Amino acid sequence: MGELLGDIFRIALVTGARATEIAKVMVTNAKEDGSVFLIEGGKMENARRVILVPVVTQSIVSRLRTAALEGNHERLFYMTPLSPTLGNASALSKRHTIFRRKVLGGETDGRLDFHSLRHTWRTTGHRAGLTVDDTHDLGGWASVGRTSDPYNHGLNLDELAMAQEKITALMECDGYLKGF
């Protein structure tokens, strides 16, 4: 799938993060070992969150961080242009569409876009037994409002990392990670 698209595809699949959010991650917001990165903001207010990177993709994040630092770049995916007017990575989706159509044909339009990875991750989280609140915390969706919300502070980072690994383990079992 090409290194750039392949890296973003793999990270998006196992983290539930939007590809356009991943493309904007700053080097300073990624741990050296690739285990964590911060998404500073995005489509929704809840988009700002810590992403616990599953072990299967930590080496990718670490490699990208090292390459960006060596080249004195600010973003992990510095090779992905951001729109000067909107500040987003819309060219990334276009690049994916061109590649997908070339390999799989135009009949995949509307079915196999980058956002489909987010749906796959969310569905797998549900099947792995995560609560709606935990999945929403990991994925950056708004939580379901409950009267107990002021009292529940959610999972800590270690618990969120275990939940992320639980999703990844089910993805592995279901064959989603064969291309890794």
Side-chain angles (χ1 to χ4, degrees), residues 48-59:
R48 181 178 168 77
R49 65 196 183 282
V50 172
I51 299 293
L52 289 299
V53 180
V55 172
V56 70
T57 50
Q58 287 178 9
S59 63

Side-chain angles (χ1 to χ4, degrees), residues 83-175:
S83 165
T85 53
L86 301 174
N88 66 18
S90 57
L92 181 63
S93 291
K94 183 175 181 175
R95 190 170 174 180
H96 175 261
T97 299
I98 291 167
F99 179 81
R100 178 183 41 76
R101 285 178 181 162
K102 179 180 172 185
V103 174
L104 300 173
E107 61 273 7
T108 59
D109 286 358
R111 293 186 302 129
L112 294 175
D113 57 20
F114 268 130
H115 198 73
S116 300
L117 302 173
R118 197 158 156 79
H119 290 253
T120 300
W121 181 88
R122 174 62 183 93
T123 300
T124 306
H126 173 74
R127 290 181 50 236
L130 271 65
T131 67
V132 170
D133 288 336
D134 293 344
T135 307
H136 285 195
D137 285 349
L138 281 168
W141 286 281
S143 293
V144 177
R146 295 191 174 94
T147 57
S148 63
D149 283 352
Y151 307 100
N152 183 357
H153 300 288
L155 301 178
N156 65 36
L157 289 180
D158 289 339
E159 293 165 331
L160 286 171
M162 288 189 306
Q164 190 74 287
E165 290 297 341
K166 194 173 181 181
I167 295 170
T168 305
L170 185 54
M171 285 184 168
E172 175 74 38
C173 183
D174 288 348

